[in-house]
């Protein structure tokens, strides 16, 4: 039962262009969403998050958009750089739940071509 | 100075053996976790400890036993290893159990032969 889905296992983008990574969720109770980035042989690192009370959150080159009615969020990276090549995980959770835990998607491998 | 460190990085062992993975965080965080990334690449939570107390215990075989001697350490002991236990195991920590920003270790690749 995949509550968080990243349907694109991989994505290739030219350096300088926009990268758009997508994520869908099925659990309508999720109210907080995060993106993590993972390089090979390293653990995931927190990138950016968004609460369900917002529809956009921006941090430098990274912007996350949330469409609650569609249960969809996306991560935009502009401009893409070769150092952005990594696996990006979408994650969600229900805030205020008695036991807090993240549900992760399978990840999308982004390759930024110089 | 590594924030969340886990050892060993690689672990190759035979079926039926018992093994342990150690994790330490120097961030002063209250909460620590064990996640498993299986062959399908899903990262799934196994356990969470808050100030040495178990707060999340997902459906994990009881061959897996976490131990938290203090809030900076969370070790994972696995008895009677099976082929299906082969995966990458990640330790993580967060400031509190309601903080979504997790800091992960670099993972332990367990291969059971």
């Amino acid at each position: 039962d995949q509550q968080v889905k990243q349907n694109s296992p991989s994505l290739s983008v030219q350096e300088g262009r926009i990268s758009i990574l997508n994520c869908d969720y099925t659990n309508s109770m999720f109210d907080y969403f995060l993106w993590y980035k993972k390089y090979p042989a390293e653990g995931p690192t927190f990138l950016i998050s968004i609460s369900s009370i917002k529809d956009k959150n921006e941090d430098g080159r990274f912007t996350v958009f949330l469409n609650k009615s569609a249960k969809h969020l996306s991560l935009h990276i502009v401009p893409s750089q070769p150092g952005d090549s990594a696996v990006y995980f979408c994650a969600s959770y229900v805030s205020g739940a008695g036991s807090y835990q993240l549900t992760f998607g399978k990840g999308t491998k982004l390759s930024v071509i110089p | 100075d590594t924030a969340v460190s886990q050892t060993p990085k690689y672990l190759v062992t035979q079926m039926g053996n018992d093994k342990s993975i150690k994790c330490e965080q120097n961030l002063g965080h209250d909460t620590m976790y064990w996640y498993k990334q299986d062959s399908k690449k899903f990262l799934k939570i196994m356990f969470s400890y808050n100030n040495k107390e178990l707060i999340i215990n997902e459906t994990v075989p009881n061959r897996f036993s976490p131990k938290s001697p203090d809030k900076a350490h969370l070790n994972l002991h696995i008895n009677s290893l099976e082929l299906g236990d082969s995966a990458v195991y990640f330790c993580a920590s967060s400031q509190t159990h309601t903080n979504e920003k997790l800091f992960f270790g670099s993972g332990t690749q367990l291969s059971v032969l």
Side-chain angles (χ1 to χ4, degrees):
Chain A
D1 177 27
Q2 294 181 50
Q3 296 188 64
V4 177
K5 300 178 185 180
Q6 294 178 255
N7 292 320
S8 298
S10 62
L11 175 69
S12 288
V13 171
Q14 208 71 30
E15 181 179 4
R17 305 296 291 268
I18 183 171
S19 295
I20 300 176
L21 296 102
N22 294 305
C23 176
D24 298 295
Y25 62 96
T26 58
N27 187 343
S28 56
M29 297 292 291
F30 287 145
D31 57 358
Y32 210 94
F33 306 89
L34 308 92
W35 286 92
Y36 279 79
K37 175 180 177 179
K38 183 184 179 305
Y39 292 118
E42 294 183 14
T45 55
F46 172 79
L47 187 58
I48 192 169
S49 62
I50 188 167
S51 160
S52 61
I53 61 172
K54 295 185 173 182
D55 54 20
K56 177 182 172 181
N57 188 25
E58 193 171 348
D59 183 2
R61 296 184 298 112
F62 301 90
T63 303
V64 56
F65 294 92
L66 175 63
N67 182 335
K68 282 190 298 182
S69 60
K71 295 195 180 70
H72 177 84
L73 64 154
S74 60
L75 174 68
H76 292 211
I77 307 174
V78 181
S80 301
Q81 299 174 353
D84 296 329
S85 296
V87 177
Y88 289 79
F89 290 96
C90 172
S92 309
Y93 75 91
V94 179
S95 67
S99 61
Y100 150 82
Q101 57 184 298
L102 291 176
T103 301
F104 283 87
K106 288 172 68 170
T108 296
K109 183 176 181 180
L110 173 66
S111 300
V112 179
I113 304 160
Chain B
D1 199 15
T2 307
V4 180
S5 58
Q6 56 183 108
T7 55
K9 195 167 178 65
Y10 300 98
L11 188 51
V12 182
T13 188
Q14 299 286 334
M15 266 175 48
N17 284 350
D18 302 339
K19 290 292 177 187
S20 292
I21 307 172
K22 295 187 175 181
C23 180
E24 176 181 3
Q25 55 96 1
N26 63 6
L27 298 166
H29 287 170
D30 286 344
T31 311
M32 295 186 73
Y33 310 82
W34 278 110
Y35 276 81
K36 177 181 179 180
Q37 186 178 30
D38 59 22
S39 56
K40 294 182 180 177
K41 303 301 180 187
F42 281 109
L43 262 170
K44 292 184 181 175
I45 191 166
M46 301 173 69
F47 303 102
S48 174
Y49 273 73
N50 187 56
N51 281 317
K52 302 194 301 175
E53 298 293 325
L54 181 66
I55 58 171
I56 294 174
N57 184 355
E58 284 299 294
T59 309
V60 175
N62 57 16
R63 299 181 294 103
F64 290 78
S65 53
K67 283 197 172 47
S68 182
D70 55 62
K71 74 173 194 177
H73 295 85
L74 180 62
N75 304 322
L76 183 65
H77 188 75
I78 315 169
N79 288 328
S80 303
L81 278 154
E82 299 178 357
L83 293 175
D85 297 332
S86 296
V88 182
Y89 293 84
F90 288 98
C91 177
S93 72
S94 62
Q95 195 161 13
T96 69
H97 69 285
T98 58
N99 190 308
E100 73 284 358
K101 189 173 178 180
L102 302 185
F103 291 76
F104 282 86
S106 57
T108 295
Q109 175 131 23
L110 171 65
S111 298
V112 182
L113 307 177

